[in-house]
Amino acid sequence: MAIERLQTGARMSRIVKHNGTVYLCGQVCADAEKGITEQTQTMLDKVEALLDEAGSSKKHMLSATIYVKSMEYFADMNAVWDAWVPEGYAPARACVEAKMARDALLVEISVVAALKD
């Protein structure tokens, strides 16, 4: 049961694979100067690319933890999320309000997924 780490730096790996499961590090948007809709979309685009690189997909997500800077963004974030997750493939999910690493960040996500069969 080897552990495979991809895109590994001194502090973290962006992808860790073990025992048929993919763990992604927290993902944020591509441009923190944008609003919640754009931040959520580019964050999810990054998740999708990492899942693909790992040999998984959004249909294989097991769980997602979403952190929003303020619950005032909850509805707008959910609108993007709902359009992104394939119908019938919603993972177990938690969403919490949290202080972000940088003030401009509005949303972050951590994902666990199964490898494709």
Side-chain angles (χ1 to χ4, degrees), residues 88-102:
Y89 292 92
R93 191 187 102 162
C95 185
V96 298
E97 184 175 282
K99 185 170 177 71
M100 297 289 130
R102 296 189 327 260

Side-chain angles (χ1 to χ4, degrees), residues 30-95:
D31 183 354
E33 299 305 314
K34 302 289 185 178
I36 187 64
T37 299
E38 295 85 357
Q39 284 197 28
T40 303
Q41 186 61 61
T42 60
M43 172 190 75
L44 295 174
D45 292 344
K46 289 168 70 175
V47 166
E48 191 165 0
L50 288 170
L51 288 171
D52 185 56
E53 179 180 341
S56 187
S57 74
K58 57 188 177 179
K59 287 185 175 182
H60 290 79
M61 287 189 301
L62 302 172
S63 70
T65 303
I66 301 171
Y67 308 90
V68 292
K69 184 174 183 175
S70 169
M71 282 298 167
E72 73 183 83
Y73 302 118
F74 187 71
D76 290 335
M77 178 278 300
N78 272 332
V80 178
W81 171 265
D82 292 345
W84 182 77
V85 174
E87 188 174 338
Y89 292 92
R93 191 187 102 162
C95 185

